[in-house]
Amino acid sequence: MSRYLSVLVLTLVVAVNTSSAHQSERVCTPEQWEAVVVGKVAEQSQGKFYIIDVVGKSAADYGRGVIALAESVFSQEQYVGSYLYLNTKSASYLADVVNKNCQKLPPVTVDQPCSDSSWLTYRTSWLVGGTQWSDTYQYNNGSSKTTITVMRDNFAMISENVEHVIGGVPQLVTLQYGNMTKGITDPSIFNIPSYCNI
């Protein structure tokens, strides 16, 4: 299960560090934001196909250099567990909330995504609801290929697809972002769990 969670961690980090480069003027995601996240992780291993469902909340505070994903994970509609991924300036944490286990990982740099980010390649645009434009971009990071779609006017994430190989197993991660709002209503999402003091 930790392999699935590592995929989600990587996906969130890529999402936070990507933005639209198809703008005539500079636009950035809000310095602080929250969003609902739903998605799936699919992999084929040893002739079997697995799908894991994810439902959670994501938040970022670029001023503090922190991002978080609090999630519940399901397999075949059965609850598997609840997890927290938290990246701070000094370390990242992957916490099993139910079993009170924690892995400390190296930190990832978290920059506020803006339209002039150089790491994105524009792919296409879509008209959303007949009135607003979204832009789709590709971001390559080593063996990972990430495709993101963002709202053009405010860089709100709409969706994200990540194709990569972990431990020799190809995986596809698909996330949908909804109800993205400016500000942080519950700053406790950024608290390091007490059992993570390792």
Side-chain angles (χ1 to χ4, degrees):
M1 182 53 57
S2 67
R3 180 171 45 180
Y4 299 119
L5 298 174
S6 296
V7 171
L8 296 172
V9 166
L10 173 64
T11 303
L12 180 63
V13 169
V14 169
V16 170
N17 282 299
T18 57
S19 64
S20 170
H22 189 66
Q23 294 280 336
S24 58
E25 62 183 61
R26 187 172 200 254
V27 179
C28 299
T29 55
E31 185 170 334
Q32 297 179 330
W33 60 264
E34 295 178 334
V36 173
V37 179
V38 296
K40 293 186 181 294
V41 177
E43 76 173 35
Q44 185 174 1
S45 179
Q46 299 177 351
K48 293 184 180 180
F49 191 71
Y50 302 94
I51 297 179
I52 304 295
D53 295 298
V54 176
V55 178
K57 176 182 174 181
S58 182
D61 184 338
Y62 299 112
R64 292 177 50 201
V66 294
I67 57 173
L69 172 63
E71 62 188 358
S72 294
V73 176
F74 300 85
S75 177
Q76 298 180 344
E77 299 183 10
Q78 298 295 313
Y79 174 75
V80 174
S82 294
Y83 303 90
L84 172 68
Y85 169 72
L86 176 63
N87 184 81
T88 68
K89 289 182 179 180
S90 60
S92 293
Y93 302 91
L94 181 57
D96 179 336
V97 177
V98 175
N99 295 313
K100 309 277 189 239
N101 295 327
C102 189
Q103 295 176 6
K104 188 174 181 179
L105 308 166
V108 176
T109 301
V110 179
D111 296 321
Q112 184 177 14
C114 297
S115 58
D116 54 2
S117 296
S118 61
W119 53 56
L120 295 178
T121 302
Y122 171 78
R123 293 297 178 210
T124 190
S125 295
W126 304 90
L127 191 58
V128 179
T131 59
Q132 293 185 309
W133 284 96
S134 67
D135 295 318
T136 300
Y137 299 86
Q138 185 174 338
Y139 170 75
N140 290 314
N141 182 12
S143 63
S144 295
K145 179 176 126 182
T146 301
T147 304
I148 62 165
T149 301
V150 296
M151 294 303 297
R152 182 178 291 174
D153 63 346
N154 62 5
F155 283 65
M157 291 287 294
I158 299 172
S159 66
E160 176 177 20
N161 295 308
V162 180
E163 299 173 41
H164 57 176
V165 177
I166 294 189
V169 177
Q171 295 182 331
L172 173 63
V173 179
T174 302
L175 298 176
Q176 303 292 320
Y177 293 79
N179 298 331
M180 188 176 200
T181 58
K182 288 183 180 182
I184 304 297
T185 58
D186 182 8
S188 70
I189 193 170
F190 299 125
N191 292 346
I192 299 169
S194 60
Y195 51 89
C196 283
N197 293 325
I198 39 183

